[in-house]
Amino acid sequence: MLSVVVNGFWVAFMASGALGVISIASPHSGFAILSALVAVMLFLGSFPMLALVLATELVPKRIVLPMLGYLWAGVYVSLWPFPDHVVPWVSGVSNVLQVLLGLFLAWKFRAPGHTWKAPFAAREGRFFRWQYTLIGWFTLQAASLVALVAIFFETSALISATTGGYVRLRPNGLYLVERQFREGDREVRLSGMMHIATEEFYDEVLPKADPKHPSVVLLEGVTDDKNLLDDNHLDYTRVARLFQLTAQSESTFSRKAYARAKLHSHSKEESPGEAEEWGNDNFASHEYRHADVDISNLRPKTIAYIITLSRLMDAPTWRDVLAELQNPSSPINDSDAQAQVWDDILHARNRRLIAEIQSALPDFQRIIVPWGAAHLSEIERWLKGQHFVQSGEVERRALKFF
């Protein structure tokens, strides 16, 4: 029975590598989906295989352990933030090496009288020895702990690299970073934000106002003056409540900041109630400007994508979500539109933000930019190109794990 398990695992290992090679050569074929499915099943199967290795001495470890080690090393490598154009090469090479490793094991350790279809045999002896199993159990716990720690730090490094260091994963929570940049007497603060966080996080975004240093807050938020979304706006309130957090749109910071931005756009005579509501506190000591695009400035495929995403977030059941994701005509599944959507959602809005920063620099000594963390690395590169130098950094905990 053990020989069947070992040979079956080897066959799955070889099949996963071969399918991976084929999927790289034909990325849009059904082999890509099949390869991903087999890879996931093989990885999940590696854990009971490790338990079996540690439970009995009859499993040939010199055959199984190299395969297990290669699979887990591949997981860590896949978490590394390689450039997009390098990823297919890394994946292709790793799959070729996987096939070669399987062939080498079969050539080196094939049991006498066994064919290449089932080349391995289980060792002889007693299946169960309590001393061996006890040592194996403790070894499994230690290996699991090491694996979890390694995955945590790999994930932390990946998040930091993909956000330019504006999002940091710590054992006790998820932190967002604010960086200050100076050039002469002008300061720009890039404050990383996210759509859901603790209320305390949003309360700490604004620095203390200083009348000697006029400041402006450039606000994020795509408007829809022409109602092109037909009220299908992205709303994170439902997700926030699920995790007992606060949606950014519902935070005190956002409600006050956008109210003040409206006062900047209209005379106080047009909205006296709002002027009285927010008074002369720290919020009123800053000026606020909307610095984002209107939805009408985005391309049609991007608008369709946003509408679909909004409907997914408001879907009443998971069945509705899955139905939309499986619909080949859905904008979510339009692979040709992905680059366009990304350019509109990220780069086009960043260009508008940069224009607003340039407009504000002559009039304000301090410019505060509380925007999504994904936007800020590009803005930071632009600031450094304008001879701004980083002068400080602050971490704020957005999500608490304990």
Side-chain angles (χ1 to χ4, degrees):
M1 181 62 183
L2 280 179
S3 62
V4 173
V5 173
V6 172
N7 283 298
F9 190 76
W10 174 80
V11 169
F13 184 83
M14 290 288 292
S16 176
L19 286 170
V21 173
I22 297 172
S23 67
I24 293 298
S26 304
H28 301 296
S29 67
F31 284 107
I33 299 176
L34 182 60
S35 172
L37 180 61
V38 172
V40 170
M41 296 301 293
L42 181 64
F43 178 71
L44 294 176
S46 68
F47 290 94
M49 180 57 68
L50 175 62
L52 192 60
V53 167
L54 297 175
T56 177
E57 59 185 345
L58 302 187
V59 176
K61 295 168 184 59
R62 60 183 181 178
I63 297 168
V64 175
L65 289 180
M67 291 189 286
L68 294 177
Y70 191 88
L71 289 174
W72 294 337
V75 173
Y76 298 143
V77 170
S78 68
L79 293 173
W80 190 260
F82 291 106
D84 290 342
H85 67 280
V86 175
V87 171
W89 291 96
V90 173
S91 180
V93 169
S94 66
N95 283 305
V96 169
L97 291 177
Q98 182 171 327
V99 173
L100 292 177
L101 174 61
L103 291 174
F104 171 78
L105 292 173
W107 170 76
K108 184 71 175 177
F109 302 114
R110 183 160 63 99
H114 283 244
T115 67
W116 280 84
K117 294 181 180 179
F120 308 116
R123 298 172 61 185
E124 296 182 357
R126 292 173 56 189
F127 181 86
F128 178 78
R129 295 175 185 266
W130 72 266
Q131 302 95 328
Y132 188 92
T133 303
L134 187 63
I135 293 173
W137 188 86
F138 281 109
T139 303
L140 179 60
Q141 305 311 307
S144 299
L145 179 61
V146 170
L148 287 174
V149 171
I151 291 174
F152 175 85
F153 283 108
E154 287 282 356
T155 304
S156 177
L158 176 63
I159 291 173
S160 181
T162 54
T163 61
Y166 281 92
V167 182
R168 295 173 182 171
L169 181 63
R170 301 276 190 252
N172 66 336
L174 191 69
Y175 288 76
L176 294 183
V177 172
E178 176 193 283
R179 289 177 182 156
Q180 299 101 37
F181 299 87
R182 299 193 69 89
E183 201 278 318
D185 65 344
R186 294 297 190 262
E187 180 187 59
V188 178
R189 296 188 173 210
L190 303 182
S191 299
M193 300 287 282
M194 59 190 298
H195 293 293
I196 59 173
T198 62
E199 181 68 39
E200 294 81 9
F201 167 79
Y202 296 118
D203 290 342
E204 296 173 355
V205 170
L206 281 185
K208 186 68 177 177
D210 185 350
K212 297 179 181 179
H213 303 286
S215 61
V216 62
V217 182
L218 301 182
L219 297 173
E220 178 185 16
V222 177
T223 56
D224 186 18
D225 293 340
K226 299 179 180 179
N227 199 30
L228 297 179
L229 295 181
D230 193 23
D231 295 327
N232 289 299
H233 297 274
L234 293 177
D235 186 1
Y236 294 87
T237 304
R238 183 179 176 185
V239 178
R241 289 175 180 170
L242 180 65
F243 294 99
Q244 297 184 331
L245 295 168
T246 301
Q248 182 178 341
S249 60
E250 297 294 317
S251 67
T252 301
F253 163 77
S254 290
R255 290 188 291 109
K256 288 188 175 184
Y258 285 102
R260 299 299 305 182
K262 288 180 181 179
L263 292 180
H264 172 76
S265 305
H266 305 88
S267 66
K268 290 188 178 180
E269 289 75 15
E270 293 176 355
S271 51
E274 288 180 296
E276 287 182 14
E277 181 181 355
W278 303 126
N280 293 319
D281 61 2
N282 189 49
F283 275 85
S285 301
H286 301 279
E287 186 167 315
Y288 298 83
R289 293 182 180 177
H290 180 255
D292 213 333
V293 301
D294 187 78
I295 197 72
S296 60
N297 299 125
L298 305 181
R299 286 170 281 192
K301 285 189 175 182
T302 303
I303 297 174
Y305 188 96
I306 293 173
I307 291 174
T308 304
L309 190 60
S310 174
R311 289 174 178 169
L312 282 177
M313 295 182 67
D314 291 334
T317 66
W318 284 106
R319 182 177 298 178
D320 297 315
V321 174
L322 292 174
E324 183 66 40
L325 293 176
Q326 293 172 351
N327 181 6
S329 62
S330 171
I332 294 288
N333 297 318
D334 186 353
S335 57
D336 295 333
Q338 299 301 318
Q340 182 186 110
V341 170
W342 185 250
D343 182 68
D344 278 350
I345 291 177
L346 185 68
H347 302 300
R349 296 170 64 201
N350 283 354
R351 291 191 288 270
R352 167 67 192 279
L353 175 57
I354 288 172
E356 290 292 333
I357 294 174
Q358 289 176 310
S359 175
L361 280 172
D363 302 321
F364 297 93
Q365 287 184 290
R366 178 191 286 167
I367 300 173
I368 304 164
V369 184
W371 272 54
H375 294 270
L376 298 185
S377 58
E378 184 177 345
I379 307 303
E380 178 179 324
R381 289 193 296 271
W382 178 82
L383 285 173
K384 290 179 177 178
Q386 304 300 309
H387 309 294
F388 278 80
V389 177
Q390 185 174 342
S391 58
E393 181 175 292
V394 177
E395 282 188 355
R396 299 188 183 94
R397 186 162 63 168
L399 301 179
K400 297 178 181 179
F401 296 156
F402 53 85

